Amino acid sequence: MAERAWATAGKKASPDRKSPGRPRLTGVALIVLSLLWAVLSYLAFTVWVPGRQERYEHYRAAEPCPAQATPQEVAAKDCLTTWHFTVAKTESTFAGKARNYEATLKDKGDDSWQRVVRFSDSGPLFDELHRGDEVIATGWRRDIVVLSKDGIRQNTSDAPRDEHQGNAAMGVLVALLAAQSLVFGAVRLARPTAYARFVWEPYGRWLAFTNICVGVGVGAASGWLGIPWWTVLVTVPVVVCAVMARLLRQQRRAAASSARVRRPRWQQDSRVSSR
């Protein structure tokens, strides 16, 4: 009995449960991180996307400026100006995985003045530009937004576009990351010794990488297909849930199959003895 009492006392004196201090500290850090993600998502949908949409609408509503308009009149009317330039050179270079298309323009009356305009694609105008060509530039808010020659027009990289799918996808992405960080952090604060499913491996890693891949993929695909940007608000969460459900089903099937393979030793011995 004395030996049993010592053994019982030893078990009570040295419990196997981990100290809750570190999980709670991690939980606080995750909640702070979730607040940062939430702020970024809020700014995306209240400043970034609306600001770009408003700029695009103002550009579409802009009209050509009157002839001989002063800079003050141009700024007041927010109109489109027309300039005549000469192409000094064109250049196509690689920058990472993308190719940059640049055309250097100069003023006819002042060769010392030059300006570089950039394009996101080589057509339809950039491939037709050569040194010495005379081009017509359309300006708006001190940016060259369109370049044309012989009736061929091409928007520059500074031209406002109605392409907010990528911006909206990034806003949804950081919102999902904020929700994940908040849930994982709150569980650690509420249950610092029992948060087995709310850890990085494997569920946290699966969810984080699924959010990132789906957000980037859906944003790029929506922009390429021309789908309205507001559809991304629904598409990204739905696809993330579908992918996570599939991953969880696969994980459960793998766990069930491994459990069938790894039977307890006493069950195997009982089968052998019964035979």
Side-chain angles (χ1 to χ4, degrees):
M1 293 181 63
E3 293 177 357
R4 182 178 297 178
W6 277 108
T8 305
K11 290 181 180 180
K12 292 182 179 180
S14 58
D16 293 332
R17 299 177 66 183
K18 297 181 180 180
S19 173
R22 185 172 181 179
R24 283 176 175 165
L25 183 61
T26 304
V28 172
L30 288 173
I31 291 177
V32 172
L33 180 61
S34 72
L35 294 177
L36 295 177
W37 289 126
V39 169
L40 291 177
S41 179
Y42 175 80
L43 293 176
F45 290 112
T46 58
V47 178
W48 193 9
V49 173
R52 292 174 67 91
Q53 180 65 26
E54 182 181 9
R55 186 172 185 269
Y56 172 75
E57 292 175 355
H58 288 173
Y59 171 64
R60 289 292 303 270
E63 297 180 354
C65 297
Q68 306 300 325
T70 63
Q72 292 77 10
E73 293 175 344
V74 171
K77 295 183 178 181
D78 200 22
C79 53
L80 301 173
T81 57
T82 301
W83 301 321
H84 295 269
F85 297 122
T86 302
V87 177
K89 66 175 181 178
T90 59
E91 188 175 9
S92 175
T93 58
F94 271 109
K97 297 182 180 180
R99 181 179 286 273
N100 292 333
Y101 304 94
E102 298 180 351
T104 302
L105 309 178
K106 64 179 181 179
D107 195 353
K108 291 182 178 180
D110 185 8
D111 292 340
S112 62
W113 184 95
Q114 291 187 348
R115 184 162 183 175
V116 177
V117 293
R118 295 175 176 83
F119 303 90
S120 58
D121 200 354
S122 61
L125 178 63
F126 181 83
D127 288 336
E128 304 298 328
L129 294 178
H130 304 283
R131 183 176 181 179
D133 289 347
E134 295 184 359
V135 294
I136 300 175
T138 301
W140 184 69
R141 294 185 180 180
R142 299 183 179 181
D143 291 328
I144 296 177
V145 293
V146 178
L147 208 64
S148 63
K149 186 192 77 168
D150 298 334
I152 303 175
R153 296 167 54 91
Q154 183 174 352
N155 289 335
T156 68
S157 299
D158 293 326
R161 291 172 171 80
D162 187 19
E163 299 173 356
H164 313 305
Q165 296 88 345
N167 303 331
M170 291 301 102
V172 176
L173 167 60
V174 294
L176 293 175
L177 292 176
Q180 177 183 353
S181 301
L182 178 62
V183 171
F184 277 51
V187 170
R188 279 171 167 78
L189 288 180
R191 298 185 301 175
T193 58
Y195 54 91
R197 291 185 177 272
F198 297 89
V199 293
W200 177 250
E201 288 290 348
Y203 304 108
R205 177 173 57 85
W206 288 355
L207 185 55
F209 281 99
T210 300
N211 288 334
I212 295 173
C213 294
V214 171
V216 174
V218 170
S222 300
W224 183 68
L225 296 174
I227 300 174
W229 69 268
W230 50 266
T231 60
V232 176
L233 305 180
V234 179
T235 306
V236 172
V238 169
V239 176
V240 168
C241 292
V243 173
M244 283 302 300
R246 182 176 180 83
L247 291 175
L248 290 175
R249 283 198 301 268
Q250 292 178 350
Q251 194 268 346
R252 289 174 181 174
R253 290 175 182 174
S257 61
S258 62
R260 286 195 298 268
V261 173
R262 298 179 181 178
R263 293 190 180 91
R265 183 65 178 272
W266 63 270
Q267 290 185 357
Q268 297 178 3
D269 295 341
S270 62
R271 282 193 171 187
V272 173
S273 60
S274 62
R275 291 179 182 177

mmCIF file of all heavy atoms in Angstrom, residues 104-149:
data_model
loop_
_atom_site.group_PDB
_atom_site.id
_atom_site.type_symbol
_atom_site.label_atom_id
_atom_site.label_comp_id
_atom_site.label_asym_id
_atom_site.label_seq_id
_atom_site.Cartn_x
_atom_site.Cartn_y
_atom_site.Cartn_z
ATOM 1 N N THR A 104 9.792 55.538 -75.293
ATOM 2 C CA THR A 104 10.291 56.846 -74.878
ATOM 3 C C THR A 104 9.851 57.884 -75.902
ATOM 4 O O THR A 104 10.133 57.745 -77.104
ATOM 5 C CB THR A 104 11.820 56.837 -74.761
ATOM 6 O OG1 THR A 104 12.212 55.826 -73.830
ATOM 7 C CG2 THR A 104 12.332 58.180 -74.278
ATOM 8 N N LEU A 105 9.151 58.906 -75.421
ATOM 9 C CA LEU A 105 8.620 59.954 -76.288
ATOM 10 C C LEU A 105 9.381 61.251 -76.050
ATOM 11 O O LEU A 105 9.847 61.516 -74.937
ATOM 12 C CB LEU A 105 7.126 60.171 -76.006
ATOM 13 C CG LEU A 105 6.235 58.926 -76.014
ATOM 14 C CD1 LEU A 105 4.807 59.306 -75.660
ATOM 15 C CD2 LEU A 105 6.294 58.214 -77.363
ATOM 16 N N LYS A 106 9.470 62.057 -77.088
ATOM 17 C CA LYS A 106 10.098 63.371 -76.957
ATOM 18 C C LYS A 106 9.246 64.414 -77.660
ATOM 19 O O LYS A 106 8.503 64.116 -78.607
ATOM 20 C CB LYS A 106 11.514 63.360 -77.528
ATOM 21 C CG LYS A 106 11.592 63.095 -79.025
ATOM 22 C CD LYS A 106 13.040 63.119 -79.507
ATOM 23 C CE LYS A 106 13.124 62.878 -81.016
ATOM 24 N NZ LYS A 106 14.531 62.915 -81.490
ATOM 25 N N ASP A 107 9.381 65.631 -77.177
ATOM 26 C CA ASP A 107 8.613 66.743 -77.743
ATOM 27 C C ASP A 107 9.245 67.180 -79.060
ATOM 28 O O ASP A 107 10.469 67.177 -79.217
ATOM 29 C CB ASP A 107 8.590 67.901 -76.750
ATOM 30 C CG ASP A 107 7.533 68.932 -77.110
ATOM 31 O OD1 ASP A 107 6.927 68.799 -78.188
ATOM 32 O OD2 ASP A 107 7.317 69.856 -76.309
ATOM 33 N N LYS A 108 8.388 67.545 -79.995
ATOM 34 C CA LYS A 108 8.906 67.967 -81.296
ATOM 35 C C LYS A 108 9.764 69.221 -81.188
ATOM 36 O O LYS A 108 10.793 69.352 -81.848
ATOM 37 C CB LYS A 108 7.743 68.230 -82.253
ATOM 38 C CG LYS A 108 6.983 66.987 -82.665
ATOM 39 C CD LYS A 108 5.893 67.347 -83.656
ATOM 40 C CE LYS A 108 5.146 66.105 -84.118
ATOM 41 N NZ LYS A 108 4.078 66.432 -85.097
ATOM 42 N N GLY A 109 9.342 70.153 -80.357
ATOM 43 C CA GLY A 109 10.068 71.413 -80.277
ATOM 44 C C GLY A 109 11.180 71.424 -79.252
ATOM 45 O O GLY A 109 11.958 72.381 -79.201
ATOM 46 N N ASP A 110 11.276 70.402 -78.425
ATOM 47 C CA ASP A 110 12.291 70.383 -77.368
ATOM 48 C C ASP A 110 12.809 68.956 -77.237
ATOM 49 O O ASP A 110 12.182 68.108 -76.608
ATOM 50 C CB ASP A 110 11.687 70.870 -76.046
ATOM 51 C CG ASP A 110 12.736 70.979 -74.942
ATOM 52 O OD1 ASP A 110 13.936 70.815 -75.250
ATOM 53 O OD2 ASP A 110 12.349 71.227 -73.787
ATOM 54 N N ASP A 111 13.958 68.686 -77.847
ATOM 55 C CA ASP A 111 14.515 67.336 -77.816
ATOM 56 C C ASP A 111 15.001 66.930 -76.430
ATOM 57 O O ASP A 111 15.186 65.741 -76.154
ATOM 58 C CB ASP A 111 15.676 67.220 -78.814
ATOM 59 C CG ASP A 111 15.197 67.323 -80.260
ATOM 60 O OD1 ASP A 111 13.981 67.101 -80.489
ATOM 61 O OD2 ASP A 111 16.020 67.640 -81.138
ATOM 62 N N SER A 112 15.226 67.905 -75.556
ATOM 63 C CA SER A 112 15.709 67.571 -74.216
ATOM 64 C C SER A 112 14.596 67.006 -73.332
ATOM 65 O O SER A 112 14.871 66.341 -72.331
ATOM 66 C CB SER A 112 16.312 68.813 -73.547
ATOM 67 O OG SER A 112 15.324 69.827 -73.382
ATOM 68 N N TRP A 113 13.336 67.275 -73.700
ATOM 69 C CA TRP A 113 12.206 66.762 -72.910
ATOM 70 C C TRP A 113 11.850 65.370 -73.403
ATOM 71 O O TRP A 113 11.596 65.150 -74.589
ATOM 72 C CB TRP A 113 11.004 67.685 -73.048
ATOM 73 C CG TRP A 113 9.836 67.272 -72.187
ATOM 74 C CD1 TRP A 113 9.527 67.731 -70.952
ATOM 75 C CD2 TRP A 113 8.824 66.311 -72.522
ATOM 76 N NE1 TRP A 113 8.391 67.120 -70.481
ATOM 77 C CE2 TRP A 113 7.931 66.235 -71.423
ATOM 78 C CE3 TRP A 113 8.583 65.497 -73.627
ATOM 79 C CZ2 TRP A 113 6.824 65.399 -71.402
ATOM 80 C CZ3 TRP A 113 7.489 64.652 -73.610
ATOM 81 C CH2 TRP A 113 6.618 64.609 -72.508
ATOM 82 N N GLN A 114 11.834 64.418 -72.501
ATOM 83 C CA GLN A 114 11.475 63.050 -72.839
ATOM 84 C C GLN A 114 10.583 62.469 -71.747
ATOM 85 O O GLN A 114 10.671 62.871 -70.581
ATOM 86 C CB GLN A 114 12.724 62.168 -73.015
ATOM 87 C CG GLN A 114 13.556 62.507 -74.235
ATOM 88 C CD GLN A 114 14.674 61.513 -74.472
ATOM 89 O OE1 GLN A 114 14.986 60.690 -73.613
ATOM 90 N NE2 GLN A 114 15.282 61.574 -75.646
ATOM 91 N N ARG A 115 9.767 61.519 -72.156
ATOM 92 C CA ARG A 115 8.878 60.857 -71.201
ATOM 93 C C ARG A 115 8.709 59.403 -71.607
ATOM 94 O O ARG A 115 8.585 59.090 -72.798
ATOM 95 C CB ARG A 115 7.524 61.547 -71.148
ATOM 96 C CG ARG A 115 6.586 60.961 -70.098
ATOM 97 C CD ARG A 115 5.479 61.910 -69.781
ATOM 98 N NE ARG A 115 4.605 61.401 -68.740
ATOM 99 C CZ ARG A 115 3.606 62.096 -68.220
ATOM 100 N NH1 ARG A 115 3.367 63.340 -68.645
ATOM 101 N NH2 ARG A 115 2.851 61.576 -67.282
ATOM 102 N N VAL A 116 8.697 58.531 -70.617
ATOM 103 C CA VAL A 116 8.570 57.095 -70.852
ATOM 104 C C VAL A 116 7.149 56.657 -70.517
ATOM 105 O O VAL A 116 6.629 56.976 -69.435
ATOM 106 C CB VAL A 116 9.585 56.301 -70.004
ATOM 107 C CG1 VAL A 116 9.395 54.799 -70.212
ATOM 108 C CG2 VAL A 116 11.010 56.708 -70.356
ATOM 109 N N VAL A 117 6.518 55.961 -71.451
ATOM 110 C CA VAL A 117 5.197 55.380 -71.210
ATOM 111 C C VAL A 117 5.338 53.863 -71.269
ATOM 112 O O VAL A 117 6.137 53.324 -72.038
ATOM 113 C CB VAL A 117 4.156 55.874 -72.239
ATOM 114 C CG1 VAL A 117 3.883 57.350 -72.061
ATOM 115 C CG2 VAL A 117 4.609 55.580 -73.653
ATOM 116 N N ARG A 118 4.553 53.193 -70.457
ATOM 117 C CA ARG A 118 4.634 51.735 -70.343
ATOM 118 C C ARG A 118 3.311 51.101 -70.761
ATOM 119 O O ARG A 118 2.246 51.679 -70.550
ATOM 120 C CB ARG A 118 5.001 51.334 -68.916
ATOM 121 C CG ARG A 118 6.385 51.799 -68.505
ATOM 122 C CD ARG A 118 6.684 51.497 -67.036
ATOM 123 N NE ARG A 118 8.053 51.861 -66.690
ATOM 124 C CZ ARG A 118 8.438 53.086 -66.368
ATOM 125 N NH1 ARG A 118 7.545 54.079 -66.351
ATOM 126 N NH2 ARG A 118 9.702 53.338 -66.071
ATOM 127 N N PHE A 119 3.429 49.907 -71.317
ATOM 128 C CA PHE A 119 2.261 49.157 -71.760
ATOM 129 C C PHE A 119 2.288 47.777 -71.103
ATOM 130 O O PHE A 119 3.358 47.235 -70.796
ATOM 131 C CB PHE A 119 2.249 48.997 -73.285
ATOM 132 C CG PHE A 119 2.281 50.296 -74.037
ATOM 133 C CD1 PHE A 119 3.492 50.878 -74.395
ATOM 134 C CD2 PHE A 119 1.110 50.935 -74.380
ATOM 135 C CE1 PHE A 119 3.528 52.071 -75.090
ATOM 136 C CE2 PHE A 119 1.134 52.134 -75.076
ATOM 137 C CZ PHE A 119 2.348 52.709 -75.431
ATOM 138 N N SER A 120 1.103 47.214 -70.931
ATOM 139 C CA SER A 120 1.002 45.874 -70.359
ATOM 140 C C SER A 120 1.043 44.785 -71.420
ATOM 141 O O SER A 120 1.138 43.597 -71.086
ATOM 142 C CB SER A 120 -0.295 45.740 -69.549
ATOM 143 O OG SER A 120 -1.425 46.003 -70.372
ATOM 144 N N ASP A 121 0.964 45.179 -72.683
ATOM 145 C CA ASP A 121 0.973 44.208 -73.773
ATOM 146 C C ASP A 121 1.669 44.831 -74.977
ATOM 147 O O ASP A 121 1.849 46.048 -75.053
ATOM 148 C CB ASP A 121 -0.459 43.794 -74.134
ATOM 149 C CG ASP A 121 -0.498 42.474 -74.890
ATOM 150 O OD1 ASP A 121 0.582 41.959 -75.225
ATOM 151 O OD2 ASP A 121 -1.608 41.974 -75.153
ATOM 152 N N SER A 122 2.027 43.977 -75.921
ATOM 153 C CA SER A 122 2.751 44.464 -77.097
ATOM 154 C C SER A 122 1.826 44.930 -78.212
ATOM 155 O O SER A 122 2.298 45.524 -79.188
ATOM 156 C CB SER A 122 3.663 43.360 -77.642
ATOM 157 O OG SER A 122 2.890 42.231 -78.039
ATOM 158 N N GLY A 123 0.561 44.650 -78.108
ATOM 159 C CA GLY A 123 -0.355 45.033 -79.174
ATOM 160 C C GLY A 123 -1.535 45.814 -78.655
ATOM 161 O O GLY A 123 -1.801 45.848 -77.453
ATOM 162 N N PRO A 124 -2.202 46.496 -79.555
ATOM 163 C CA PRO A 124 -1.978 46.480 -81.012
ATOM 164 C C PRO A 124 -0.992 47.533 -81.523
ATOM 165 O O PRO A 124 -0.612 47.505 -82.696
ATOM 166 C CB PRO A 124 -3.375 46.775 -81.559
ATOM 167 C CG PRO A 124 -3.991 47.653 -80.514
ATOM 168 C CD PRO A 124 -3.452 47.189 -79.198
ATOM 169 N N LEU A 125 -0.569 48.462 -80.676
ATOM 170 C CA LEU A 125 0.228 49.584 -81.176
ATOM 171 C C LEU A 125 1.720 49.418 -80.938
ATOM 172 O O LEU A 125 2.528 49.802 -81.798
ATOM 173 C CB LEU A 125 -0.252 50.892 -80.529
ATOM 174 C CG LEU A 125 0.524 52.158 -80.909
ATOM 175 C CD1 LEU A 125 0.391 52.442 -82.402
ATOM 176 C CD2 LEU A 125 0.056 53.349 -80.085
ATOM 177 N N PHE A 126 2.118 48.869 -79.811
ATOM 178 C CA PHE A 126 3.533 48.898 -79.436
ATOM 179 C C PHE A 126 4.414 48.255 -80.506
ATOM 180 O O PHE A 126 5.493 48.776 -80.829
ATOM 181 C CB PHE A 126 3.725 48.192 -78.096
ATOM 182 C CG PHE A 126 5.149 48.192 -77.622
ATOM 183 C CD1 PHE A 126 5.669 49.291 -76.959
ATOM 184 C CD2 PHE A 126 5.977 47.105 -77.857
ATOM 185 C CE1 PHE A 126 6.993 49.305 -76.536
ATOM 186 C CE2 PHE A 126 7.292 47.104 -77.439
ATOM 187 C CZ PHE A 126 7.801 48.205 -76.778
ATOM 188 N N ASP A 127 3.986 47.131 -81.058
ATOM 189 C CA ASP A 127 4.796 46.459 -82.081
ATOM 190 C C ASP A 127 4.942 47.292 -83.350
ATOM 191 O O ASP A 127 5.853 47.041 -84.159
ATOM 192 C CB ASP A 127 4.172 45.101 -82.432
ATOM 193 C CG ASP A 127 4.344 44.090 -81.309
ATOM 194 O OD1 ASP A 127 5.283 44.263 -80.507
ATOM 195 O OD2 ASP A 127 3.535 43.144 -81.229
ATOM 196 N N GLU A 128 4.059 48.268 -83.536
ATOM 197 C CA GLU A 128 4.096 49.095 -84.745
ATOM 198 C C GLU A 128 4.885 50.385 -84.549
ATOM 199 O O GLU A 128 5.029 51.167 -85.498
ATOM 200 C CB GLU A 128 2.666 49.441 -85.178
ATOM 201 C CG GLU A 128 1.768 48.238 -85.398
ATOM 202 C CD GLU A 128 2.275 47.336 -86.514
ATOM 203 O OE1 GLU A 128 2.877 47.876 -87.474
ATOM 204 O OE2 GLU A 128 2.085 46.111 -86.424
ATOM 205 N N LEU A 129 5.371 50.623 -83.342
ATOM 206 C CA LEU A 129 6.105 51.860 -83.076
ATOM 207 C C LEU A 129 7.573 51.709 -83.465
ATOM 208 O O LEU A 129 8.204 50.685 -83.179
ATOM 209 C CB LEU A 129 6.004 52.229 -81.591
ATOM 210 C CG LEU A 129 4.615 52.612 -81.069
ATOM 211 C CD1 LEU A 129 4.678 52.910 -79.582
ATOM 212 C CD2 LEU A 129 4.061 53.810 -81.835
ATOM 213 N N HIS A 130 8.094 52.754 -84.101
ATOM 214 C CA HIS A 130 9.501 52.784 -84.492
ATOM 215 C C HIS A 130 10.062 54.174 -84.200
ATOM 216 O O HIS A 130 9.313 55.147 -84.047
ATOM 217 C CB HIS A 130 9.668 52.449 -85.980
ATOM 218 C CG HIS A 130 9.077 51.128 -86.365
ATOM 219 N ND1 HIS A 130 9.685 49.927 -86.090
ATOM 220 C CD2 HIS A 130 7.906 50.829 -87.002
ATOM 221 C CE1 HIS A 130 8.934 48.937 -86.542
ATOM 222 N NE2 HIS A 130 7.843 49.457 -87.102
ATOM 223 N N ARG A 131 11.352 54.234 -84.137
ATOM 224 C CA ARG A 131 12.008 55.511 -83.852
ATOM 225 C C ARG A 131 11.677 56.534 -84.939
ATOM 226 O O ARG A 131 11.762 56.239 -86.134
ATOM 227 C CB ARG A 131 13.515 55.310 -83.760
ATOM 228 C CG ARG A 131 14.281 56.567 -83.386
ATOM 229 C CD ARG A 131 15.752 56.269 -83.218
ATOM 230 N NE ARG A 131 16.480 57.470 -82.835
ATOM 231 C CZ ARG A 131 17.790 57.513 -82.595
ATOM 232 N NH1 ARG A 131 18.511 56.399 -82.707
ATOM 233 N NH2 ARG A 131 18.369 58.646 -82.249
ATOM 234 N N GLY A 132 11.274 57.721 -84.498
ATOM 235 C CA GLY A 132 10.923 58.786 -85.423
ATOM 236 C C GLY A 132 9.448 58.861 -85.754
ATOM 237 O O GLY A 132 9.023 59.824 -86.414
ATOM 238 N N ASP A 133 8.654 57.887 -85.318
ATOM 239 C CA ASP A 133 7.214 57.932 -85.589
ATOM 240 C C ASP A 133 6.561 59.072 -84.808
ATOM 241 O O ASP A 133 6.918 59.338 -83.654
ATOM 242 C CB ASP A 133 6.549 56.609 -85.195
ATOM 243 C CG ASP A 133 6.918 55.475 -86.134
ATOM 244 O OD1 ASP A 133 7.468 55.764 -87.213
ATOM 245 O OD2 ASP A 133 6.664 54.307 -85.777
ATOM 246 N N GLU A 134 5.609 59.707 -85.450
ATOM 247 C CA GLU A 134 4.825 60.735 -84.773
ATOM 248 C C GLU A 134 3.559 60.100 -84.206
ATOM 249 O O GLU A 134 2.833 59.400 -84.925
ATOM 250 C CB GLU A 134 4.468 61.863 -85.745
ATOM 251 C CG GLU A 134 5.682 62.637 -86.240
ATOM 252 C CD GLU A 134 5.290 63.810 -87.119
ATOM 253 O OE1 GLU A 134 4.069 63.987 -87.345
ATOM 254 O OE2 GLU A 134 6.192 64.541 -87.570
ATOM 255 N N VAL A 135 3.315 60.351 -82.937
ATOM 256 C CA VAL A 135 2.182 59.730 -82.250
ATOM 257 C C VAL A 135 1.361 60.813 -81.560
ATOM 258 O O VAL A 135 1.837 61.929 -81.312
ATOM 259 C CB VAL A 135 2.658 58.689 -81.214
ATOM 260 C CG1 VAL A 135 3.328 57.515 -81.900
ATOM 261 C CG2 VAL A 135 3.591 59.322 -80.195
ATOM 262 N N ILE A 136 0.117 60.457 -81.274
ATOM 263 C CA ILE A 136 -0.791 61.335 -80.535
ATOM 264 C C ILE A 136 -1.026 60.717 -79.163
ATOM 265 O O ILE A 136 -1.412 59.544 -79.059
ATOM 266 C CB ILE A 136 -2.124 61.510 -81.283
ATOM 267 C CG1 ILE A 136 -1.880 62.122 -82.662
ATOM 268 C CG2 ILE A 136 -3.080 62.380 -80.480
ATOM 269 C CD1 ILE A 136 -3.138 62.207 -83.506
ATOM 270 N N ALA A 137 -0.785 61.501 -78.138
ATOM 271 C CA ALA A 137 -0.949 61.032 -76.764
ATOM 272 C C ALA A 137 -2.157 61.710 -76.134
ATOM 273 O O ALA A 137 -2.348 62.922 -76.281
ATOM 274 C CB ALA A 137 0.305 61.322 -75.940
ATOM 275 N N THR A 138 -2.965 60.914 -75.464
ATOM 276 C CA THR A 138 -4.102 61.436 -74.707
ATOM 277 C C THR A 138 -3.727 61.450 -73.237
ATOM 278 O O THR A 138 -3.337 60.418 -72.675
ATOM 279 C CB THR A 138 -5.353 60.568 -74.918
ATOM 280 O OG1 THR A 138 -5.675 60.550 -76.315
ATOM 281 C CG2 THR A 138 -6.533 61.121 -74.141
ATOM 282 N N GLY A 139 -3.834 62.625 -72.633
ATOM 283 C CA GLY A 139 -3.449 62.775 -71.234
ATOM 284 C C GLY A 139 -4.643 63.019 -70.341
ATOM 285 O O GLY A 139 -5.638 63.631 -70.743
ATOM 286 N N TRP A 140 -4.532 62.519 -69.126
ATOM 287 C CA TRP A 140 -5.583 62.735 -68.119
ATOM 288 C C TRP A 140 -4.927 62.747 -66.750
ATOM 289 O O TRP A 140 -4.224 61.808 -66.374
ATOM 290 C CB TRP A 140 -6.636 61.631 -68.198
ATOM 291 C CG TRP A 140 -7.792 61.825 -67.259
ATOM 292 C CD1 TRP A 140 -8.753 62.789 -67.331
ATOM 293 C CD2 TRP A 140 -8.107 61.038 -66.114
ATOM 294 N NE1 TRP A 140 -9.655 62.656 -66.302
ATOM 295 C CE2 TRP A 140 -9.283 61.578 -65.538
ATOM 296 C CE3 TRP A 140 -7.518 59.928 -65.519
ATOM 297 C CZ2 TRP A 140 -9.869 61.049 -64.391
ATOM 298 C CZ3 TRP A 140 -8.102 59.396 -64.381
ATOM 299 C CH2 TRP A 140 -9.265 59.960 -63.831
ATOM 300 N N ARG A 141 -5.138 63.829 -66.034
ATOM 301 C CA ARG A 141 -4.551 64.019 -64.707
ATOM 302 C C ARG A 141 -3.034 63.809 -64.736
ATOM 303 O O ARG A 141 -2.467 63.073 -63.930
ATOM 304 C CB ARG A 141 -5.207 63.087 -63.689
ATOM 305 C CG ARG A 141 -6.676 63.401 -63.432
ATOM 306 C CD ARG A 141 -7.246 62.542 -62.323
ATOM 307 N NE ARG A 141 -8.664 62.859 -62.098
ATOM 308 C CZ ARG A 141 -9.430 62.255 -61.182
ATOM 309 N NH1 ARG A 141 -8.908 61.315 -60.407
ATOM 310 N NH2 ARG A 141 -10.700 62.599 -61.043
ATOM 311 N N ARG A 142 -2.403 64.440 -65.707
ATOM 312 C CA ARG A 142 -0.947 64.454 -65.859
ATOM 313 C C ARG A 142 -0.358 63.095 -66.224
ATOM 314 O O ARG A 142 0.853 62.903 -66.159
ATOM 315 C CB ARG A 142 -0.272 64.982 -64.590
ATOM 316 C CG ARG A 142 -0.669 66.407 -64.229
ATOM 317 C CD ARG A 142 0.081 66.884 -63.005
ATOM 318 N NE ARG A 142 -0.289 68.257 -62.669
ATOM 319 C CZ ARG A 142 0.226 68.936 -61.645
ATOM 320 N NH1 ARG A 142 1.146 68.359 -60.865
ATOM 321 N NH2 ARG A 142 -0.169 70.176 -61.407
ATOM 322 N N ASP A 143 -1.191 62.145 -66.602
ATOM 323 C CA ASP A 143 -0.723 60.838 -67.059
ATOM 324 C C ASP A 143 -1.088 60.653 -68.526
ATOM 325 O O ASP A 143 -2.142 61.111 -68.978
ATOM 326 C CB ASP A 143 -1.349 59.704 -66.245
ATOM 327 C CG ASP A 143 -0.844 59.662 -64.819
ATOM 328 O OD1 ASP A 143 0.329 60.033 -64.600
ATOM 329 O OD2 ASP A 143 -1.615 59.260 -63.922
ATOM 330 N N ILE A 144 -0.211 59.988 -69.268
ATOM 331 C CA ILE A 144 -0.534 59.603 -70.636
ATOM 332 C C ILE A 144 -1.286 58.281 -70.565
ATOM 333 O O ILE A 144 -0.727 57.253 -70.168
ATOM 334 C CB ILE A 144 0.740 59.469 -71.490
ATOM 335 C CG1 ILE A 144 1.437 60.830 -71.603
ATOM 336 C CG2 ILE A 144 0.402 58.928 -72.872
ATOM 337 C CD1 ILE A 144 2.742 60.781 -72.377
ATOM 338 N N VAL A 145 -2.550 58.304 -70.949
ATOM 339 C CA VAL A 145 -3.399 57.126 -70.785
ATOM 340 C C VAL A 145 -3.616 56.377 -72.092
ATOM 341 O O VAL A 145 -3.924 55.180 -72.079
ATOM 342 C CB VAL A 145 -4.757 57.526 -70.171
ATOM 343 C CG1 VAL A 145 -4.572 58.010 -68.742
ATOM 344 C CG2 VAL A 145 -5.443 58.607 -71.003
ATOM 345 N N VAL A 146 -3.472 57.063 -73.226
ATOM 346 C CA VAL A 146 -3.673 56.418 -74.530
ATOM 347 C C VAL A 146 -2.625 56.951 -75.495
ATOM 348 O O VAL A 146 -2.311 58.149 -75.489
ATOM 349 C CB VAL A 146 -5.087 56.680 -75.093
ATOM 350 C CG1 VAL A 146 -5.239 56.029 -76.470
ATOM 351 C CG2 VAL A 146 -6.154 56.159 -74.148
ATOM 352 N N LEU A 147 -2.108 56.055 -76.319
ATOM 353 C CA LEU A 147 -1.187 56.442 -77.384
ATOM 354 C C LEU A 147 -1.766 55.924 -78.697
ATOM 355 O O LEU A 147 -2.263 54.788 -78.757
ATOM 356 C CB LEU A 147 0.200 55.846 -77.139
ATOM 357 C CG LEU A 147 1.397 56.628 -77.705
ATOM 358 C CD1 LEU A 147 1.501 57.983 -77.018
ATOM 359 C CD2 LEU A 147 2.691 55.840 -77.499
ATOM 360 N N SER A 148 -1.704 56.748 -79.741
ATOM 361 C CA SER A 148 -2.294 56.345 -81.020
ATOM 362 C C SER A 148 -1.396 56.782 -82.166
ATOM 363 O O SER A 148 -0.654 57.770 -82.069
ATOM 364 C CB SER A 148 -3.695 56.948 -81.184
ATOM 365 O OG SER A 148 -3.630 58.364 -81.212
ATOM 366 N N LYS A 149 -1.504 56.010 -83.255
ATOM 367 C CA LYS A 149 -0.765 56.319 -84.490
ATOM 368 C C LYS A 149 -1.522 55.716 -85.658
ATOM 369 O O LYS A 149 -1.823 54.514 -85.658
ATOM 370 C CB LYS A 149 0.649 55.736 -84.437
ATOM 371 C CG LYS A 149 1.519 56.138 -85.638
ATOM 372 C CD LYS A 149 2.802 55.329 -85.708
ATOM 373 C CE LYS A 149 2.520 53.942 -86.249
ATOM 374 N NZ LYS A 149 3.762 53.210 -86.609
#
